[in-house]
Amino acid sequence: MFVKLYHAILDLGKKMSKKRENFSTTDLVSATKARNFLKYLRKYWQLYALLLIPVLYYIIFRYVPMAGNIIAFRRYRAGHSIFGDEWSGLKYFKQFIGDKTFWRAFRNTLTLNFSYLIVRFPLTLIFALLINEIKTVWWKKFVQTVSYLPHFISMVIVTGMIRELISTNGPLNQLIAHLGGERVSFIAFPQYFSTIFVVSGVWQSLGWGTILYLAAIAGINPSLYEAAEVDGANHFQRVWHVTIPCILPTITTLLILDIGGLVGSGGAFEKVFLLYNPMTYEKADIVSTFVFRLGLESGNYSYATAVGLFESLLNLTLLTAANKISKKLTGSGLW
């Protein structure tokens, strides 16, 4: 009995010594990492100082305003408490769920964003592949510069150009009249709004959207193309079997982000707000313009906040679902 007890005490002592060794090793590694980090911080403190700017921006303008979502569940009146006067529960959520105007805006948001996605996404990829095939350096730079420029034009100027182009006395209607047709006020008919939105969006973002694709293509190992050429692959087959599979993670990531914003308005609010009018509300009114009219024009802040919160939660759900599906199908995702 005493022998067994003696061996048990010895085993316990060995286990405790091993734990102390492990703890000491872990503490040593942690201390080393901390010292290395402080050394790196002192050496490159300018970079960390620059990092403070975007961090502070997101904290002040993105995270702090999230506290305002509480007024979706409380009645807010201007001039009173910023967190509302009284608890209203799910009153405003029930209100917009039964509102036909909201569902019209919700349907228009999906229609416009989905139409824009299925046209822009493949065109951007194809355009990136075409730019990559240009071998003359000066011509490639010229094409890239010309295609990037529309992205930097103010949305106010873009919408002004669109209005002038499709006005009754604009170049498009003059061409129609010259060909014997009748002039059409495109901006006043809701059935044309989707086409105007998609075409102008593709023109403005096509070149800018190729940047990430071109960066991913530049990182492909040239030996892969050489091996494919040795195997007898023609030009198109090298693009299909080498280029696209190598940039598939980039394609997947961008597609996930686009799907996550299908319900959201993103940069569409400015364009829609500057182009639409009461005559085109049927097809042009989206969730963000609906929230704008409710919140800032009608003063119904709690109702507008409830709609905005619902939109954000739905976007988060779509983003998470798209990421999981992508990881199962392609093995890559955002997280």
Side-chain angles (χ1 to χ4, degrees), residues 24 99 186:
S24 60
D99 190 349
F186 294 100

Side-chain angles (χ1 to χ4, degrees), residues 22-154:
N22 292 335
F23 286 145
S24 60
T25 304
T26 304
D27 294 340
L28 181 61
V29 171
S30 300
T32 304
K33 287 183 178 179
R35 284 195 299 269
N36 291 337
F37 174 74
L38 292 175
K39 183 179 178 181
Y40 191 85
L41 180 62
R42 284 193 297 268
K43 186 176 181 180
Y44 301 103
W45 65 269
Q46 298 93 339
L47 298 178
Y48 285 93
L50 290 175
L51 185 63
L52 284 175
I53 298 174
V55 170
L56 289 175
Y57 168 79
Y58 276 98
I59 291 175
I60 296 172
F61 296 103
R62 298 294 183 182
Y63 287 98
V64 172
M66 287 184 183
N69 284 322
I70 191 64
I71 66 173
F73 307 94
R74 298 177 64 87
R75 182 184 179 187
Y76 173 81
R77 288 177 292 182
H80 294 256
S81 171
I82 60 173
F83 296 112
D85 297 328
E86 57 188 40
W87 185 259
S88 59
L90 300 177
K91 170 186 174 182
Y92 298 107
F93 291 89
K94 295 177 181 178
Q95 188 175 342
F96 77 72
I97 287 175
D99 190 349
K100 293 182 179 179
T101 307
F102 164 76
W103 289 112
R104 182 191 66 185
F106 184 78
R107 182 188 68 247
N108 292 339
T109 304
L110 283 177
T111 302
L112 289 177
N113 286 339
F114 186 73
S115 301
Y116 180 56
L117 174 62
I118 61 175
V119 173
R120 178 192 58 81
F121 193 83
L123 284 180
T124 302
L125 177 59
I126 294 171
F127 189 55
L129 295 173
L130 292 175
I131 291 178
N132 185 63
E133 296 302 318
I134 300 176
K135 303 305 179 183
T136 308
V137 177
W138 69 267
W139 177 244
K140 184 176 183 179
K141 290 182 178 179
F142 175 77
V143 172
Q144 287 179 294
T145 302
V146 171
S147 61
Y148 292 170
L149 283 178
H151 175 79
F152 298 99
I153 301 176
S154 170

Side-chain angles (χ1 to χ4, degrees), residues 207-236:
W208 185 255
T210 63
I211 292 178
L212 292 178
Y213 289 131
L214 291 174
I217 292 172
I220 299 176
N221 191 341
S223 62
L224 296 176
Y225 292 106
E226 295 172 2
E229 188 174 359
V230 170
D231 290 339
N234 57 35
H235 199 80
F236 177 78

Side-chain angles (χ1 to χ4, degrees), residues 7 18-19 46 71 123 151 167 174 183 241 244 294:
H7 286 295
K18 287 182 180 179
K19 287 184 178 180
Q46 298 93 339
I71 66 173
L123 284 180
H151 175 79
S167 65
Q174 288 183 7
R183 297 175 184 266
H241 295 287
I244 293 180
L294 282 174

Side-chain angles (χ1 to χ4, degrees), residues 113 116-118 120-129 205-217 244 246-262 318-319 322-323 326-327 330 332-335:
N113 286 339
Y116 180 56
L117 174 62
I118 61 175
R120 178 192 58 81
F121 193 83
L123 284 180
T124 302
L125 177 59
I126 294 171
F127 189 55
L129 295 173
S205 63
L206 183 64
W208 185 255
T210 63
I211 292 178
L212 292 178
Y213 289 131
L214 291 174
I217 292 172
I244 293 180
C246 287
I247 65 172
L248 188 59
T250 303
I251 298 173
T252 303
T253 301
L254 295 178
L255 182 59
I256 291 172
L257 291 174
D258 285 337
I259 292 176
L262 279 178
L318 283 174
L319 182 64
N323 185 70
S326 174
K327 291 184 72 173
T330 64
S332 62
L334 290 177
W335 66 86

